[in-house]
Every structure is written in C-alpha cells, then in structure tokens.
C-alpha cells in the first residue's frame, strides 16, 4: 500500500478508505474510477490497528489532499496486533521519517528492543541480504496496480454472522482508548479540511463486538459524522453467501463490487467529488482499471468450462495472444460446430492444424504437413514455439521451454495476456 502511495502523483487522491484487510478486500478504487471518475485509494493493511490507522492518514496527508476519508472502525475491536507479520506490515511500511518513528513509539505493545529494531528497520535492512530479488528494488504488479486493493475472484466463504442477532445487539461502551482514537480522527479531519466518514465492512463479528460498533455509531451521530454499518445490515448490499466471500471474514471481487457500488453511490450523492477521467495526472487509475479488467478476464477464462465460451473470451481483447490446436478426427467431430463459429475448420475432417488469432480472425499457421517451427516473441523474454511433430506426439506448443500441447485427440486453447505478461488459459477439450 505504501509503495503505491509513494508512486501516486501529489494531490490526485480525492477519497481514501482506511482500515484493515476488510478494506483492501472489499473496496476497489478502479470501480469508483470506472463508474464516477473518482480517484480513490485504499490506505489499508492487514490487521491495521488504531495507532497505525492514525499515522497512515497522516502519511497520506503529506502528499495528498483528500476530500473524503472513510475509516472502517473495525480497529475498535482490538488493541494489539495478533501476529508479528501484521506488526511488520503496519510498523515498517512507510518511509523513514518523524511520522514512522512516532508510529513505532506510540504503539504500546512492543518492548524497547523491538521498538529500536523497528525504528532502525532492522527486519527489513539487516536480515535479508541472501533473500533479495529484483522485486526488492523495483515495483511489480502487487505494488504497482490496484491503488491499495487486493483482487481475487476466489469464493470460499462459508460462515456468516447471525445478522438478526447483530441487528438486535445493544449499545456497548467505548473504552478510553477507543474514544481517544475517534477523537483524534475527528481532530485530524478539522485540521486538514476533509470530510470524515465511519463505516464497517462485512466481517465475522459477534454480538459483543457489534455492541461496540453500535457505540461508535452513537458517537458518530452525536458528532455529526456519517456512519454506515455494511456488516450487520449487509442485505442492503445484496451480499450472497458462498459467492461473494473470499473467506468467512473477507469479501472477494464479486462482493467488493457490491460494497464499492453501495459506498460509491453514497459518496457521489452527498459529496462534490470531481470526475477526473480527463485529468492527465490521474492516468494511474486508467492503468489500474485496465489491469483489473485483464485479471477479471483471466478469472473468467479459468472458470469457463465449455469451448465456445473459452474461444469467445480468448479473442475479446487485443492484448491476448491466442493459439488453437486441433488434433485428431475425434476432436473435429466433437467440436466442429463450436470451432466453425470462429472460422476454424478442417479441410478433410481429420487434418491436424494450429490456428493463431489475428486482426483478420483465426488464421491457420500450421497443418499436418508442416515441418517448420514458428517462434513468437511476446513480452519481456517470453517466447512461444509452435510446431507439428505428428499426430498425438505432443511437444507442439512450447512456452519458455515448457510443454503446453494437446495430450491426444483434442482441442487445445492457449492464451497469453500481454498486459499481465503470463498465460491466462491453457485448456484442453
């Protein structure tokens, strides 16, 4: 998240969503960009506690002037981060500065020795010399795209809270530290002239925790701060169990689409946020959206289970490099109707052939009589070799030295995405 923040042009972020992994799993800035032209960013880290939340906003304000800062108040439900990895992510992420030192000093749940190690970055700088790779020095996909969001279409959620019980939970009490935290956020909003919003993303929360959330809602009401409980009242989002969850505690891309739309509609209706789609300084959001669309297409290809759907999606974007290999009369007989829809056909019913998708449609590049080896140079150092070694012999499609050929009488669809720089489909029918 911090790597992306530091590579975002100054004064381009109009909306910041701040909080734990529920935020980066549940809110997709690229969708707000596509729908409204809003430049949003997820200031979100796994297990982000109250102290880290406060200083993350302060770090954001060094280079950005957001109109709205929406804070997921899930951090009210815990004080100390439960795993060391979350300490690393939260206390070591930002650049060394007074802000980073104050963050470590104000986090009360580490001893003095650990505090010194975190201030001087010992875990990052002095323990990893033998592990370093090029990704320690250059941005790559996870730290370049998303504006803080985490993209996944995996659907593994099974357990959801008792929503009726949550909706009937009483109002608990806020601890002194919780009140101090909420007060500090309000004060920060006054000092830096941004609109503060509180919300709760869908999470696995029990009734006792919900009572604390309800207390925060009462605090917000008394302070004139909008509060949106997207967890206890998640039916407003039309969240579906088993489809919209990465796991029982986090949304996936399907759920994120719904949460993002819900909050996006609210922000659009209540705040004057500029449409920046024509702002050349905001090109990163266009790049993020393109990256997201390619990941979504890759997911759709992975989940597609019939040849016609795979072929349709494999030619839907100009950045896709698609080869179709057909071997054996059985493959032609079983799939000739689907293949012919895309201009792929056999002259005599049993000839093997390799087809490449081009601007003119699918073009036959090799048939069963061909003895040449075709080489295609793709992104970076990726190379595809296509040849005909004889029916059912395999070794006909080679990517970076690995075999992606038909295993018998079948149709093979090989798709490489030039944007993602990887294979996004290798399916045999």
């Amino acid at each position: 998240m911090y790597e992306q923040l530091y590579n975002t042009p100054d004064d381009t972020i109009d909306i910041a969503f701040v909080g734990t992994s529920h935020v980066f799993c549940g809110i997709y800035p690229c969708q707000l960009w596509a729908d409204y032209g809003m430049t949003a960013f997820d200031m979100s880290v796994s297990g982000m506690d109250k102290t880290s939340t406060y200083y993350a906003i302060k770090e954001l304000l060094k280079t950005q002037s957001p109109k709205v800062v929406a804070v997921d108040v899930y951090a009210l439900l815990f004080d100390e981060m439960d795993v060391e990895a979350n300490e690393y992510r939260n206390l070591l992420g930002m650049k060394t500065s007074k802000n980073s030192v104050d963050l470590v000093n104000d986090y009360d749940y580490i001893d003095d020795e650990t505090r010194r190690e975190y201030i001087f970055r010992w875990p990052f700088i002095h323990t990893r010399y033998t592990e370093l790779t090029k990704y320690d020095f250059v941005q790559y996909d996870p730290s370049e795209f998303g504006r803080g969001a985490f993209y996944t279409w995996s659907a593994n959620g099974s357990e959801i809270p008792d929503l009726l019980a949550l909706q009937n939970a009483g109002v608990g009490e806020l601890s002194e530290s919780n009140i101090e935290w909420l007060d500090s956020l309000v004060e920060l909003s006054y000092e830096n002239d941004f609109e503060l919003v509180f919300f709760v993303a869908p999470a696995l929360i029990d009734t006792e925790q919900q009572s604390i959330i309800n207390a925060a809602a009462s605090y917000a009401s008394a302070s004139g701060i909008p509060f949106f409980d997207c967890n206890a009242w998640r039916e407003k989002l039309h969240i579906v169990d088993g489809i919209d969850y990465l796991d029982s505690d986090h949304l996936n891309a399907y759920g994120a689409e719904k949460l993002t739309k819900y909050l996006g509609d609210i922000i659009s209706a209540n705040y004057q946020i500029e449409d920046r789609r024509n702002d050349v300084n905001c090109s990163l959001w266009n790049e993020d959206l393109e990256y997201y669309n390619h990941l979504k297409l890759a997911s759709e290809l992975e989940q597609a289970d019939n040849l016609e759907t795979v072929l349709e999606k494999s030619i839907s974007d100009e950045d896709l490099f698609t080869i179709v290999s057909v071997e054996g009369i059985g493959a032609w007989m079983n799939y000739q109707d689907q293949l012919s829809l895309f201009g792929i056909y056999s002259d005599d019913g049993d000839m093997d052939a390799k087809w490449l998708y081009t601007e003119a449609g699918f073009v036959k590049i090799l048939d069963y009589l061909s003895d040449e080896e075709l080489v295609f140079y793709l992104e970076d150092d990726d190379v595809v070799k296509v040849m005909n070694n004889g029916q059912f012999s395999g070794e006909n499609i080679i990517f970076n030295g690995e075999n992606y050929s038909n295993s018998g009488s079948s149709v093979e669809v090989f798709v490489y995405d030039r944007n993602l720089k990887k294979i996004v489909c290798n399916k045999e029918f």
Side-chain angles (χ1 to χ4, degrees):
M1 176 271 287
Y2 282 113
E3 187 73 15
Q4 290 192 51
L5 174 65
Y6 297 140
N7 283 278
T8 299
D10 291 1
D11 293 323
T12 54
I13 296 173
D14 286 336
I15 307 167
F17 295 91
V18 190
T20 66
S21 54
H22 302 128
V23 173
F24 66 63
C25 286
I27 297 172
Y28 283 4
C30 67
Q31 184 178 335
L32 295 172
W33 174 258
D35 292 346
Y36 308 102
M38 295 178 182
T39 50
F41 192 93
D42 288 346
M43 290 293 295
S44 172
V45 182
S46 294
M48 181 181 272
D49 66 300
K50 292 184 279 288
T51 306
S52 300
T53 298
Y54 176 79
Y55 283 102
I57 297 173
K58 290 194 69 172
E59 191 74 4
L60 171 79
L61 294 171
K62 287 181 177 179
T63 57
Q64 304 296 327
S65 304
K67 310 296 188 300
V68 177
V69 175
V71 179
D72 184 349
V73 296
Y74 183 85
L76 292 168
L77 305 181
F78 65 97
D79 291 314
E80 182 179 2
M81 287 178 273
D82 59 353
V83 294
E84 187 178 46
N86 283 344
E87 286 186 7
Y88 278 26
R89 295 182 180 109
N90 283 278
L91 303 183
L92 292 167
M94 66 177 67
K95 291 179 179 178
T96 301
S97 65
K98 182 179 183 301
N99 206 30
S100 71
V101 174
D102 288 345
L103 164 59
V104 175
N105 280 329
D106 286 353
Y107 183 70
D108 294 329
Y109 304 97
I110 51 178
D111 57 36
D112 289 342
E113 180 180 356
T114 302
R115 181 168 285 107
R116 286 193 295 270
E117 289 181 353
Y118 284 179
I119 288 175
F120 292 104
R121 306 306 176 95
W122 181 270
F124 270 6
I125 299 172
H126 301 290
T127 64
R128 298 188 58 249
Y129 294 125
T130 62
E131 301 172 4
L132 296 179
T133 70
K134 70 176 183 179
Y135 299 120
D136 287 285
F137 302 93
V138 300
Q139 277 195 297
Y140 65 116
D141 290 359
S143 67
E144 186 172 4
F145 299 107
R147 302 303 89 202
F150 172 64
Y151 299 140
T152 179
W153 285 261
S154 297
N156 302 307
S158 57
E159 182 182 0
I160 61 172
D162 184 340
L163 297 183
L164 182 60
L166 295 186
Q167 291 164 11
N168 290 302
V171 179
E173 293 186 6
L174 293 172
S175 66
E176 182 178 343
S177 65
N178 279 343
I179 294 174
E180 289 177 355
W181 180 58
L182 295 175
D183 287 345
S184 71
L185 297 178
V186 173
E187 183 178 355
L188 206 56
S189 71
Y190 289 154
E191 292 175 348
N192 294 275
D193 195 28
F194 62 78
E195 297 289 340
L196 183 63
V197 174
F198 291 147
F199 73 103
V200 182
L204 199 57
I205 291 175
D206 60 33
T207 53
E208 181 178 355
Q209 293 172 318
Q210 183 64 41
S211 71
I212 298 175
I213 297 299
N214 293 343
S218 296
Y219 172 100
S221 178
S223 304
I225 299 169
F227 188 100
F228 303 99
D229 189 340
C230 303
N231 184 59
W233 301 95
R234 65 179 72 186
E235 65 266 22
K236 296 177 183 178
L237 282 65
H238 306 291
I239 296 289
V240 179
D241 183 33
I243 296 177
D244 295 327
Y245 293 93
L246 167 63
D247 54 40
S248 297
D249 204 33
H250 300 86
L251 296 176
N252 59 20
Y254 305 113
E257 180 180 355
K258 296 176 180 180
L259 176 60
T260 304
K261 182 181 187 323
Y262 178 76
L263 293 175
D265 287 346
I266 291 171
I267 292 171
S268 176
N270 292 281
Y271 302 96
Q272 297 298 317
I273 305 297
E274 181 183 356
D275 184 337
R276 296 242 216 167
R277 280 173 286 199
N278 293 322
D279 188 338
V280 295
N281 294 319
C282 299
S283 60
L284 277 178
W285 277 268
N286 272 329
E287 296 172 14
D288 289 339
L289 180 60
E290 183 179 14
Y291 179 72
Y292 166 82
N293 286 334
H294 279 263
L295 286 180
K296 183 178 181 181
L297 178 58
S299 175
E300 291 171 349
L301 278 166
E302 181 180 355
Q303 296 177 41
D305 57 5
N306 68 82
L307 178 59
E308 184 176 339
T309 301
V310 169
L311 288 175
E312 182 178 5
K313 293 185 179 299
S314 71
I315 61 174
S316 62
D317 191 281
E318 62 182 9
D319 284 330
L320 300 181
F321 174 89
T322 300
I323 292 175
V324 176
S325 173
V326 185
E327 290 203 14
I329 189 171
W332 287 112
M333 292 176 62
N334 292 330
Y335 294 103
Q336 60 181 339
D337 291 342
Q338 294 96 313
L339 293 168
S340 64
L341 290 173
F342 299 89
I344 300 173
Y345 56 89
S346 171
D347 294 329
D348 60 8
D350 66 350
M351 291 184 182
D352 305 332
K354 306 288 187 289
W355 301 74
L356 174 67
Y357 189 75
T358 69
E359 292 181 355
F362 276 106
V363 175
K364 185 188 293 185
I365 55 174
L366 292 174
D367 61 25
Y368 78 112
L369 296 175
S370 303
D371 57 5
E372 60 183 318
E373 177 181 285
L374 303 180
V375 179
F376 300 92
Y377 297 95
L378 303 175
E379 299 303 306
D380 295 339
D381 297 324
D382 291 336
V383 179
V384 174
K385 296 180 181 180
V386 184
M387 63 208 80
N388 185 4
N389 287 332
Q391 195 173 73
F392 311 144
S393 63
E395 303 293 328
N396 287 331
I397 301 175
I398 308 298
F399 176 77
N400 291 347
E402 294 189 25
N403 183 19
Y404 288 84
S405 308
N406 311 50
S407 60
S409 180
S410 62
V411 179
E412 179 80 14
V413 183
F414 173 94
V415 185
Y416 175 93
D417 190 317
R418 295 184 179 89
N419 181 284
L420 300 179
K421 301 178 184 179
K422 67 177 183 179
I423 298 169
V424 293
C425 180
N426 179 230
K427 291 199 170 184
E428 190 173 331
F429 297 89

